[in-house]
Every structure is written in C-alpha cells, then in structure tokens.
Amino acid sequence: MTSDTPKRRYQEIAQILARRIAHDGYKPGDKFPTERQISEELGISRSLVREAFIMLEIEGYLDVRKGSGSYVASGEKLFLSNPKPDFGPFELLQARQLLESSIAGFAASTITKSDIVQLRDTLELERKAIANGEEDYLADRQFHLQIAEATQNSVLVAQVEELWSKRENSPMWARLHDRIFDLSYRAKWLDDHAEILEALRHRNSEAARKAMWQHLENVRLTLLELSDVGDPEFDGYLYKPAAVSN
C-alpha cells in the first residue's frame, strides 16, 4: 500500500490505538481496553473496532486470547508502517449484503428449472460437508455463485467471484476465523440457503432479496459474536441489524 492510498476506516482506528499503546506507557503483557470500551469511547461500531483489533493483532501490537481479552504484545512501535492492503471482514460482508441481495431478487425473475436443480444439488453437497465435519466452504461459495449465474449476467457473476476471492485471500478474514471454534452455525446458514432457494423456486423476487439480505446479516452477527475474545457471552443480539432496504 503506497502512501497515496487512502486508509480504510478500520486502519485509521488501528492507528489511533497504536499511538495509544505507544504514548500511554503500555508494556508487553498489559491488558488492553476491551472492544466494547473502545466502541463506546470512540462512538463507533463494534464490528469496526473488531477489524482494528484484528489488524493490530496481525501487525504484532496485540496478543488476543480467547475468553480473556487483548493484551499488549509490543509497545515499541508508534505508527503502523505501510499496512498491508486488505479489506475488513465486516466491510466485505456489507458489500456482499448490498450486492447479493439485489442479485437474488433479480435472479428470481430469470431463474430456470435447470438452475433450481443445480442449486438443490449444491445444498445437498453442503449438507453432506457439514454432516462429515468438513471445514471447507466450497459448496457455500458455489451456491452463491450459482445464484449470480442464474441472472445470466456475466458482470454480476464476476462481481460475486471477486468478493469471494477477496475473502479467500484476506489475512484479516483468516484471522477472524482463527478465533472461532464452534462451527455449529453452519447448520443455520444451510437453513438460510434453503429459504433463499424456496423464494427463488417460487420466483418471488422480494422474498429472495430479503432472504439473502437476512442470511448475510445472520452471517455478520454470528461472526461478530463467535469471534469475540473478551466476552464469550457477548450479547450480539442487542446490536441492531441492518435494515432491509425497500
């Protein structure tokens, strides 16, 4: 990332916190304020703070311990130097939510019987992968791409492929998932996929759009809750979901 590249918001927050570590006399091993405290102090969302903490963890400022919180790993550096180009995981989810909900709504008007059969087959692959304890997301990815392909618009397909590629190549996304040990949420996401497919089967554009929007909202809230290291019982349900656009 060159100096001319604008910092993303989570990177700006990470820089503020890095300066705090340097200026406030923190020593390695000192407990750092919780994400909730930082969120309330700065008046920003919990997901934005989560992204900043993950960046600080990757850059070696914080040591994040499951069920305990975040501790200072190094207080020597004052500024984040040349942060690696990446996208915040919740930033990516927001982009997917906006794009893929519209794609699902449109796909309901263009989908064919063959598309429906392929999506059913993919759901069965996903169901088997979950039952066998497989940790890959190949069927999940395939399901979302097949919906884009049902629009018969190659530009939309390319956009969905690009967002999934960013996810798969993102160090921040990988670090977020390193915090998560309970994979039971995948069964819920499978139910979400089945609901999306049902709306598509009935060619109900509005229902398909809302079902995809809610599915990715469920993904966001689940990841936010399960990746919280300072408070395993984090009350993510208290955070207002994004409103479904009309």
Side-chain angles (χ1 to χ4, degrees):
M1 179 179 293
T2 67
S3 58
D4 295 330
T5 304
K7 284 187 174 66
R8 295 186 172 87
R9 181 63 174 145
Y10 76 84
Q11 293 174 334
E12 294 174 352
I13 300 304
Q15 184 68 81
I16 290 171
L17 298 179
R19 290 194 186 101
R20 177 177 297 186
I21 290 171
H23 285 305
D24 290 2
Y26 282 100
K27 297 179 178 61
D30 287 351
K31 184 76 178 287
F32 198 64
T34 66
E35 292 175 359
R36 187 188 299 278
Q37 290 171 327
I38 297 295
S39 173
E40 293 174 353
E41 176 189 339
L42 299 181
I44 57 178
S45 71
R46 186 72 177 273
S47 59
L48 184 57
V49 177
R50 178 72 46 81
E51 290 174 333
F53 270 51
I54 289 174
M55 181 178 179
L56 290 171
E57 183 183 3
I58 290 173
E59 294 292 328
Y61 284 83
L62 293 179
D63 176 21
V64 179
R65 306 172 191 172
K66 180 69 177 177
S68 178
S70 299
Y71 296 79
V72 173
S74 172
E76 298 177 357
K77 297 182 288 184
L78 178 57
F79 301 109
L80 290 169
S81 57
N82 194 29
K84 300 175 181 65
D86 199 356
F87 296 87
F90 298 103
E91 183 182 20
L92 275 173
L93 278 171
Q94 184 180 61
R96 286 187 58 200
Q97 188 177 47
L98 291 167
L99 178 65
E100 292 192 49
S101 60
S102 296
I103 286 175
F106 179 47
S109 66
T110 59
I111 200 161
T112 66
K113 182 177 179 179
S114 176
D115 293 327
I116 294 294
V117 171
Q118 289 180 8
L119 285 166
R120 282 176 174 167
D121 290 343
T122 299
L123 277 190
E124 185 58 29
L125 288 175
E126 189 176 3
R127 185 174 289 107
K128 288 179 179 177
I130 293 172
N132 293 333
E134 298 171 13
E135 295 187 18
D136 68 71
Y137 291 81
L138 295 178
D140 184 4
R141 181 181 189 275
Q142 183 173 317
F143 180 82
H144 285 267
L145 281 174
Q146 285 174 333
I147 293 174
E149 289 166 354
T151 67
Q152 303 172 39
N153 185 310
S154 60
V155 177
L156 295 177
V157 175
Q159 290 293 311
V160 174
E161 286 179 332
E162 176 66 15
L163 288 172
W164 273 87
S165 177
K166 289 185 187 313
R167 163 182 159 161
E168 291 163 354
N169 294 290
S170 167
M172 288 190 62
W173 188 277
R175 187 58 62 95
L176 176 75
H177 272 266
D178 285 345
R179 296 181 173 195
I180 298 173
F181 301 96
D182 178 5
L183 299 180
S184 61
Y185 63 84
R186 294 184 65 189
K188 167 57 180 167
W189 293 0
L190 180 64
D191 290 342
D192 287 352
H193 283 179
E195 186 173 344
I196 294 167
L197 178 55
E198 188 67 6
L200 291 170
R201 188 176 71 83
H202 285 92
R203 294 182 169 272
N204 187 327
S205 293
E206 183 62 13
R209 184 180 68 84
K210 287 184 175 180
M212 179 64 79
W213 183 282
Q214 188 58 52
H215 166 52
L216 291 170
E217 184 66 22
N218 291 342
V219 172
R220 183 184 74 83
L221 290 174
T222 298
L223 293 181
L224 187 62
E225 180 177 359
L226 293 182
S227 66
D228 184 68
V229 294
D231 181 6
E233 303 301 324
F234 168 54
D235 49 348
Y237 64 90
L238 292 177
Y239 285 76
K240 183 179 179 182
V244 177
S245 57
N246 294 319

